[in-house]
Amino acid sequence: MKNYSKQREAIMEVLRSTTTHPTAQWIYEEVRKQLPKISLGTVYRNLSALSAEGDILNISVGDGFEHFDGDNSPHLHLHCRCCGKIVDANLSKHTPRNIALKNGFTPETELYVITGVCKNCQACND
């Protein structure tokens, strides 16, 4: 985190405290519990900066919202198109990043999203 601020630190704390891949609105509501005077615009600006700096991941799954992940390590996101849940999964050593590196390509961003139907929604569809 290059530019420290009380607001940015509070946003990072909220993101690191959840694995739900929240939207900016949810993050805003949680941060307001600590910093009641923070604006939604400030949250959006900080999320944008943190994402651009690589401190957080910005995930788009086609539901009209940006979702955010405080874990910026390489990992997979599984998105259920029925219930909207996004969960993390580990990657094997044969990641697209490793394939890129073996082919002389230096990746700058890694974001892996697989969309499908989760176990719970599959059970409901049977």
Side-chain angles (χ1 to χ4, degrees):
M1 198 163 46
K2 294 177 184 175
N3 296 320
Y4 174 83
S5 72
K6 188 180 216 179
Q7 293 89 349
R8 194 170 286 197
E9 184 62 34
I11 290 167
M12 286 300 298
E13 284 178 25
V14 165
L15 275 172
R16 288 183 179 139
S17 72
T18 185
T19 59
T20 62
H21 306 86
T23 62
Q25 181 68 38
W26 186 90
I27 295 166
Y28 167 68
E29 291 168 8
E30 291 299 307
V31 171
R32 282 195 66 201
K33 293 174 183 176
Q34 299 172 36
L35 304 171
K37 294 184 181 184
I38 195 167
S39 71
L40 182 57
T42 297
V43 171
Y44 271 109
R45 281 189 298 280
N46 278 283
L47 288 171
S48 179
L50 287 164
S51 179
E53 294 167 4
D55 293 323
I56 65 172
L57 299 175
N58 182 332
I59 306 164
S60 177
V61 294
D63 63 357
F65 299 97
E66 290 179 294
H67 296 266
F68 298 91
D69 189 346
D71 177 4
N72 63 356
S73 67
H75 62 281
L76 183 67
H77 294 96
L78 305 173
H79 168 245
C80 179
R81 64 176 169 75
C82 295
C83 68
K85 179 173 52 176
I86 303 170
V87 296
D88 293 332
N90 291 326
L91 289 167
S92 72
K93 63 181 178 177
H94 302 292
T95 66
R97 175 184 182 80
N98 289 340
I99 293 167
L101 290 169
K102 285 181 184 176
N103 286 284
F105 185 85
T106 304
E108 296 175 351
T109 304
E110 294 180 68
L111 182 61
Y112 310 106
V113 178
I114 295 177
T115 299
V117 180
C118 73
K119 189 179 194 177
N120 290 338
C121 290
Q122 285 176 359
C124 294
N125 289 332
D126 290 341

